[in-house]
Amino acid sequence: MRRVDLTEAAAVVLRELTEDNGPLMFHQSGGCCDGSSPMCYPQGEFLTGDGDVRLGSVDIGSGPPVEVWMSRPQFAYWKHTHLTVDVVPGRGAGFSLEAPRGVRFLIRSRLFSDAESHWLEAHWAEGMG
């Protein structure tokens, strides 16, 4: 079971960004500047620590998987949801790599079912998915 996935449209943009920037990562902080949008950075450019949760990684079809991180306080709100990274036309935050392309990443979510929630409580370790 995974906490995070992505759409094919997002995978296409991530493959292009990987070609231009090398391996990538996402971080979602819920802070004042980026709200709840996932921010895409070259891998390691955003330093993570004890205040962050690794939700897992997403396979973009070619190249290295993209790790997905979330601030621990934001995770407290979202831990009951499955997240899907998507991309839509528009301009998001200026710090995220996709911004100059006229698109922005966003999160689509759904609540986990009772069965999924029970499985996660029993089995999920940070960063496993």
Side-chain angles (χ1 to χ4, degrees):
M1 172 178 276
R2 303 172 53 78
R3 285 193 172 275
V4 62
D5 285 303
L6 76 159
T7 65
E8 181 54 30
V12 168
V13 173
L14 288 168
R15 286 191 292 270
E16 293 169 358
L17 291 171
T18 298
E19 287 178 19
D20 294 343
N21 300 282
L24 305 173
M25 66 180 288
F26 276 113
H27 187 272
Q28 183 169 329
S29 72
C32 66
C33 298
D34 59 338
S36 59
S37 295
M39 303 290 284
C40 184
Y41 301 102
Q43 189 176 55
E45 186 173 298
F46 185 96
L47 299 179
T48 58
D50 290 342
D52 300 293
V53 175
R54 184 180 176 276
L55 301 178
S57 60
V58 290
D59 182 1
I60 62 172
S62 66
V66 176
E67 290 187 348
V68 181
W69 293 81
M70 182 177 282
S71 71
R72 201 167 290 281
Q74 185 79 353
F75 180 70
Y77 293 111
W78 290 65
K79 66 183 176 183
H80 303 292
T81 60
H82 178 270
L83 307 176
T84 301
V85 178
D86 199 359
V87 67
V88 295
R91 236 174 115 75
F95 299 116
S96 195
L97 289 175
E98 81 283 3
R101 296 172 181 262
V103 296
R104 65 185 183 92
F105 290 112
L106 59 81
I107 292 290
R108 299 192 188 277
S109 64
R110 69 165 176 83
L111 289 175
F112 285 120
S113 69
D114 288 343
E116 290 170 322
S117 292
H118 292 305
W119 189 93
L120 286 167
E121 287 176 22
H123 299 96
W124 191 76
E126 189 173 308
M128 73 177 272

